[in-house]
Amino acid sequence: MPTVHPTEYACRMTGPETRYLDDTMQDRQGAARPDTGTRIGVAGLFRVLGGNLFLSSLLLCIPFGFVTHFTDQPDWLVFIANFFAILPMAWLIGKSTEDLSAHTGEALGALLNATFGNVVEMLLCVAGIRRNEISIVQCTLVGSILSNMLLVMGTSFLWGGYNNPPPKKMTYSKVGAGAQSTLMLVGVLGLMLPTIYAFMMPAGQEILDISRGCSTLLLLTYVQYLVFSLKTHKDAFEGGGEDSDSDKDGDDDEDAPDMDACTSTVVLACCTVMTAFCSEYLIGSIGGAIDRWHVSKEFIGIIVLPIIGNAAEHYTAIVVAGQNKMDLSLGVAVGSSCQMALMVTPFTVLAGWVLDRPMSLDFHPFQVTVLLLAVLIVANVLKDGESNWLEGSMLVTAYCAIGLIYYCENGEGTSGLQGLA
């Protein structure tokens, strides 16, 4: 009969009695074994906050964001305060969702990750739709996809190549990467068809009906992707890296949740509610920020706003790439792009339908062209199942070129890109 460590046995049990038993055994064993298990209540939350002091310090911006809004401060100050207030809440939403998923079954955990993984972007888009800032919402959706595919994945390849020089290889599953690349092409097709239709044959209600129908199809495609990646072909999205087998035992300890289910739920609920308020204040102050900084709405939507919801994911993808866990890194970068294209974008169209706003898939022709070219570049990079630093540099260069165009665009009158629509 195999010997089971008493602490390991206690961790397999559930309930408050188990936690007490686990803590008691660790006290008896002293400092011989590091404390890597889940903590109950506030202790778990403090452990998370202590793990990233920079993002934790930004929590002080939350009351500042409320104060600037209710005291009628300049719009640019309201924008900055709420921008930095949402950053740490996006991180906590992601962390609490991850820990809560660890305490649930596989199906429920997958549903939680799919629902709350992009909740910040959803809240920003809903706030923009409520204020009829349709162009800002569309730019934010395109910008989130581009930043994940080009900036995040490119930086991950760069950092991974630096930390894993030859003869080490950074490999990943061809099946998983190929499926995600194809899904992105399908997502771009869903955006391009309504855009081209509206550009060639301007219409009113027809384009809304087409967009709502395409959005429903994209959502169904995303559900099929979840079944494919989490059930029928789960192994294709897990293995691949050189060090995946050697690190398997270490990953078990690293993946232990920091917060229990109750604490994770409370943190998730509180941060979601606070993010909803801050998103409203942020979107409402964009006009003043644009006038103050002399930039276009497109630059704010495509370059600036995606940073809010993706900052924590950017950090995670880059760190795990440095550890040569490329499947996990791609799951964060490209997987998040798939979520944005196949779940969040259709969700915003349906949300606009509910709120009686003309939110459609009629994006700007230049935006969908850039999106198509980016997806084709990424699909070509991922086709061989191996990455290197040069590919990362090319992806980052492509993102910088796109950002430069939107930074130089003034967005005024018909001289800007928006005036061509």
Side-chain angles (χ1 to χ4, degrees):
M1 181 176 179
T3 302
V4 180
H5 195 280
T7 306
E8 179 183 354
Y9 172 78
C11 290
R12 293 178 183 176
M13 303 169 62
T14 57
E17 296 84 3
T18 302
R19 302 303 178 192
Y20 173 78
L21 176 60
D22 183 57
D23 292 341
T24 303
M25 289 183 174
Q26 287 189 359
D27 290 339
R28 291 178 181 175
Q29 293 161 3
R33 184 178 175 87
D35 181 15
T36 58
T38 305
R39 296 187 180 183
I40 298 177
V42 181
L45 178 59
F46 284 164
R47 180 176 180 176
V48 173
L49 296 178
N52 196 321
L53 295 178
F54 173 71
L55 287 175
S56 299
S57 64
L58 291 180
L59 291 172
L60 298 174
C61 294
I62 298 175
F64 186 54
F66 277 77
V67 169
T68 56
H69 172 74
F70 287 107
T71 57
D72 296 326
Q73 297 299 316
D75 283 344
W76 65 270
L77 185 59
V78 177
F79 183 90
I80 292 177
N82 286 281
F83 179 89
F84 286 105
I86 295 176
L87 276 176
M89 288 192 289
W91 163 58
L92 287 177
I93 287 174
K95 178 58 180 173
S96 58
T97 302
E98 177 186 345
D99 286 2
L100 184 58
S101 301
H103 293 289
T104 62
E106 180 178 326
L108 183 56
L111 181 61
L112 285 170
N113 279 314
T115 304
F116 289 98
N118 296 95
V119 69
V120 175
E121 291 88 345
M122 290 181 179
L123 292 174
L124 283 171
C125 290
V126 169
I129 292 173
R130 285 166 55 89
R131 293 179 175 271
N132 212 28
E133 293 282 0
I134 304 300
S135 62
I136 289 289
V137 173
Q138 292 178 330
C139 289
T140 302
L141 294 170
V142 173
S144 294
I145 297 173
L146 290 174
S147 67
N148 279 312
M149 285 195 306
L150 299 178
L151 180 62
V152 180
M153 190 166 71
T155 310
S156 299
F157 284 0
L158 275 172
W159 182 244
Y162 174 78
N163 277 338
N164 301 279
K168 289 185 178 181
K169 294 183 178 180
M170 298 188 297
T171 59
Y172 46 85
S173 168
K174 289 184 180 180
V175 176
Q180 291 172 333
S181 299
T182 305
L183 283 169
M184 286 306 306
L185 286 171
V186 172
V188 173
L189 177 68
L191 299 183
M192 289 196 71
L193 290 179
T195 301
I196 295 175
Y197 179 88
F199 183 75
M200 299 180 65
M201 294 173 285
Q205 183 61 36
E206 293 87 350
I207 196 63
L208 290 176
D209 294 336
I210 293 172
S211 298
R212 291 161 184 170
C214 289
S215 296
T216 303
L217 293 175
L218 291 177
L219 282 174
L220 291 176
T221 303
Y222 181 71
V223 172
Q224 296 175 63
Y225 165 64
L226 289 179
V227 175
F228 181 85
S229 61
L230 298 172
K231 191 172 182 63
T232 62
H233 290 71
K234 182 179 178 180
D235 294 340
F237 292 82
E238 292 181 346
E242 271 189 346
D243 301 331
S244 58
D245 294 333
S246 60
D247 293 340
K248 192 174 294 183
D249 296 334
D251 290 343
D252 293 339
D253 291 335
E254 293 176 3
D255 293 340
D258 294 303
M259 297 181 287
D260 59 18
C262 181
T263 306
S264 300
T265 303
V266 172
V267 172
L268 178 60
C270 292
C271 288
T272 301
V273 172
M274 299 293 286
T275 301
F277 283 105
C278 290
S279 298
E280 288 282 349
Y281 306 154
L282 179 75
I283 296 297
S285 63
I286 283 181
I290 290 174
D291 294 337
R292 171 79 177 190
W293 299 328
H294 305 291
V295 294
S296 65
K297 280 187 176 182
E298 289 72 29
F299 180 79
I300 294 290
I302 290 181
I303 304 300
V304 178
L305 291 185
I307 296 175
I308 301 176
N310 298 331
E313 293 177 347
H314 294 186
Y315 176 78
T316 301
I318 294 170
V319 169
V320 298
Q323 300 168 355
N324 205 4
K325 299 176 182 178
M326 298 310 300
D327 282 287
L328 179 56
S329 181
L330 289 179
V332 174
V334 186
S336 294
S337 296
C338 290
Q339 283 187 333
M340 290 299 303
L342 301 175
M343 185 185 73
V344 180
T345 301
F347 167 81
T348 58
V349 174
L350 299 180
W353 191 6
V354 173
L355 297 173
D356 195 23
R357 295 290 190 274
M359 177 63 195
S360 70
L361 295 179
D362 178 17
F363 285 63
H364 193 281
F366 182 78
Q367 294 175 1
V368 294
T369 302
V370 169
L371 198 56
L372 175 62
L373 292 175
V375 172
L376 292 176
I377 292 173
V378 170
N380 189 63
V381 167
L382 296 179
K383 67 180 181 181
D384 60 351
E386 185 175 337
S387 60
N388 55 65
W389 67 266
L390 180 59
E391 292 175 338
S393 177
M394 291 187 291
L395 294 176
V396 173
T397 301
Y399 184 80
C400 291
I402 296 170
L404 180 63
I405 291 175
Y406 282 104
Y407 178 77
C408 294
E409 190 226 343
N410 56 30
E412 298 176 357
T414 58
S415 61
L417 291 173
Q418 196 64 27
L420 297 174

